[in-house]
Amino acid sequence: MTGVAAAAAPVALLAALGLTAALGARGRRRARTAADFLVASRGVTPWWNASAVSGEYLSAAAYLGAAGLVLAYGADMLWLPIAATAAYVLLLAFVTAPLRRSGAYTVSDFAEWRLGSRAVRRIVTGCVCCVGWFYLLPQFQGAALTLRVLTGAPGWAGPAVVVAVALVLVASGGMRSITAVQAVQFWVKIVAVAVPAVALAAMWRLDGAPDPLDGAPPRFAHVTRVRVAADAAVTVPAAVTVTARGSVDGVPRGGPVPLAPGRHRLGGGTVIVFPAGAAAPHAERLPVQDGATWSTPFARGEEHGLFRTYSALLGILLGTMGLPHILMRFYTSTCGAAARRTAAFVPVLLTLFSVFPVLYAALGRLYAPELLMTGDTDATLLTLPRSMLPGPAGALLTGVIAAGAFAAFISTSCGIVVALAGTISQCSRRRSGIAAFRGGVVAALAVPLALLPLAGTQGAATLVTIALCVSACSLCPLLVLGIWWRGLTAAGAAAGLLAGGGTAVAAGLARVLGGSWPGWAGAVLGEPAVVAAPLAFAVMVGVSLLTRGRVPRRAGRAMMRLHLPEDALAR
């Protein structure tokens, strides 16, 4: 790595941190009360709030993981941005305005206000924590990956930076501080991903515009040196002779090595040099695809692929409706109508971003196929500039992308921490107000940091999908039925949360800790939303009907408050 390239990442990090500190200090000066810390005194305008919501959406999974998923799996992965964006249409139609009119600070507040049950509140708090902790893991992973790829820093350095910034920013100013940070950083991230994309697309044209969908699996455009960080199994699609230094199939090597098509094992630290034009091997967990298979949905013939896709779609669609850090942003709106306008702006803003992951993934097949071999597909955005533009120009573009990446980790992490801290602090009996909120900040960051070593090689998008699934199977049914069905009881809500949320959490832990399984068991454990979400709805409705005599007495008044405009209630 050249001196310019080595300096790009630290400069980008300092720029992102400097902007964050300046924006956070501006909000911190105005944060005085608990309402400022939790919901910014409900005074955020729709456009500013929509920018902040969009800034939270562009997390590690969207900024790094989406391009990596498309690079690895092709068109089948385009459901990720499509479903997440479409979810805001459902939020607009079913949740935003009624939730704002409830006057609640958090989802747990809403549950207790609507159902009059402390037990349900505690269960909802547990669900919110599980969603938030699963969602924080990929932010820490993405920060670790970014610093490791760009500077060679140890794995703990990236999470340490994110935790330190989130701890200072959120604990000192809460929602007041992070609103400006998230809103401005959304536009920083758009610029950080768009400007390099335009430059790289121009370089692709100058290179003769090679077709990323043409012919066999991706090939190395030039002689390429690949270092395998840890023991790995790879699939070689075509016979090739490489130069290897290290362990290949359990045998120490130090020169030319012929690799036959099929599976090979590489020892950690092994360095392999591939000749120009060689087909790129794939990590064992990634499919080997030619251009036609990569660009055609369901062309890979994956076992139960249709089930997995529709289950993931449902999980993302419903899960986004229940994400606590997204919902908390709507509590900051001035009124229900403002919350609706915020939700209407968000899909427009997210559309600006959605085209770029596909562009980076297509260029990655041409110019960074070694990522398919190492499995570091989340590093697509970080690797491409230096692969296509060696020297200062590529280093500069890498720095721009790195600044956007850290903006993504910081803004999303801060939003999640505020939501978790607000929820945890509302359950505290020993302390109240700002002191309880700051204690919740520490708890919100400590748990995922302790769990990070267990996440292993799971990608950012995979971990976010788990968080969305838990939300889809617990918080979404509670919100939809709590807002639109008078007959929901505390017993029904509790049973549904435990059935759906418990199933999703168990499947998520099995996926993170135990890997994958074949057959229908693996399909359901991998993407359980299509089973667990209907189960949650059915249990909530069924138990509520069995306990219809325990519908809260104030349910009628609560429904009026949720659905009548504020001016009608004032009269």
Side-chain angles (χ1 to χ4, degrees), residues 137-206:
L137 283 173
Q139 315 313 317
F140 296 163
Q141 273 195 340
L145 174 68
T146 300
L147 279 187
R148 176 172 60 81
V149 169
L150 297 181
T151 69
W156 56 264
V161 171
V162 173
V163 168
V165 173
L167 189 63
V168 172
L169 190 64
V170 177
S172 61
M175 187 65 81
R176 275 286 187 198
S177 288
I178 71 166
T179 295
V181 171
Q182 291 173 332
V184 173
Q185 285 187 347
F186 168 74
W187 297 103
V188 170
K189 286 180 272 191
I190 288 293
V191 171
V193 77
V195 171
V198 172
L200 296 180
M203 287 303 302
W204 170 72
R205 292 290 300 177
L206 292 175

Side-chain angles (χ1 to χ4, degrees), residues 340-448:
R340 274 208 176 99
R341 286 195 294 273
T342 296
F345 287 145
V346 171
V348 178
L349 297 180
L350 296 185
T351 301
L352 296 176
F353 173 81
S354 296
V355 67
F356 295 110
V358 182
L359 174 60
Y360 279 101
L363 293 176
R365 284 179 62 84
L366 294 171
Y367 299 103
E370 66 272 13
L371 298 177
L372 296 170
M373 174 180 169
T374 61
D376 285 335
T377 53
D378 283 354
T380 303
L381 271 70
L382 304 169
T383 303
L384 269 175
R386 287 182 291 168
S387 296
M388 297 181 67
L389 282 169
L396 178 61
L397 293 180
T398 299
V400 172
I401 292 175
F406 271 96
F409 310 143
I410 291 168
S411 61
T412 302
S413 297
C414 287
I416 298 169
V417 171
V418 166
L420 291 179
T423 300
I424 294 170
S425 66
Q426 295 294 307
C427 293
S428 174
R429 295 184 179 275
R430 296 182 180 179
R431 293 181 293 176
S432 60
I434 296 173
F437 179 85
R438 287 172 173 161
V441 171
V442 175
L445 288 167
V447 174

Side-chain angles (χ1 to χ4, degrees), residues 493-550:
L497 287 168
L498 293 174
T503 300
V505 170
L509 290 174
R511 188 174 180 182
V512 170
L513 303 177
S516 59
W517 292 266
W520 277 107
V524 174
L525 283 174
E527 301 293 349
V530 78
V531 174
L535 174 66
F537 276 102
V539 171
M540 283 189 186
V541 171
V543 175
S544 294
L545 291 175
L546 292 174
T547 58
R548 62 183 59 145
R550 298 188 334 210

Side-chain angles (χ1 to χ4, degrees), residues 17-248:
L17 294 179
L19 177 63
T20 300
L23 295 171
R26 180 178 179 272
R28 187 162 56 248
R29 288 193 297 268
R30 301 172 60 190
R32 296 289 184 271
T33 67
D36 287 325
F37 275 76
L38 292 173
V39 289
S41 294
R42 305 189 192 279
V44 184
T45 61
W47 181 256
W48 197 241
N49 214 7
S51 296
V53 171
S54 302
E56 284 194 300
Y57 166 79
L58 296 187
S59 65
Y63 196 86
L64 298 180
L69 275 181
V70 177
L71 171 63
Y73 298 100
D76 286 343
M77 296 298 107
L78 294 179
W79 45 258
L80 177 62
I82 293 171
T85 304
Y88 288 94
V89 178
L90 297 182
L91 264 173
L92 172 64
F94 296 111
V95 175
T96 51
L99 191 63
R100 171 59 185 86
R101 294 189 192 111
S102 72
Y105 283 101
T106 64
V107 181
S108 298
D109 285 339
F110 170 79
E112 185 174 10
W113 170 81
R114 172 66 178 83
L115 298 169
S117 170
R118 291 287 300 181
V120 172
R121 180 193 185 96
R122 286 191 286 269
I123 296 172
V124 171
T125 297
C127 293
V128 168
C129 288
C130 288
V131 172
W133 290 333
F134 273 126
Y135 219 105
L136 277 172
L137 283 173
Q139 315 313 317
F140 296 163
Q141 273 195 340
L145 174 68
T146 300
L147 279 187
R148 176 172 60 81
V149 169
L150 297 181
T151 69
W156 56 264
V161 171
V162 173
V163 168
V165 173
L167 189 63
V168 172
L169 190 64
V170 177
S172 61
M175 187 65 81
R176 275 286 187 198
S177 288
I178 71 166
T179 295
V181 171
Q182 291 173 332
V184 173
Q185 285 187 347
F186 168 74
W187 297 103
V188 170
K189 286 180 272 191
I190 288 293
V191 171
V193 77
V195 171
V198 172
L200 296 180
M203 287 303 302
W204 170 72
R205 292 290 300 177
L206 292 175
D207 193 34
D211 186 359
L213 308 182
D214 184 34
R219 295 181 176 274
F220 294 108
H222 47 76
V223 176
T224 303
R225 178 181 179 272
V226 182
R227 182 180 184 276
V228 180
D231 291 353
V234 299
T235 302
V236 175
V240 61
T241 298
V242 300
T243 300
R245 188 174 71 252
S247 174
V248 178

Side-chain angles (χ1 to χ4, degrees), residues 245-266:
R245 188 174 71 252
S247 174
V248 178
D249 293 327
V251 179
R253 301 285 188 171
V257 177
L259 296 179
R263 183 177 184 273
H264 296 271
R265 292 205 60 82
L266 305 176

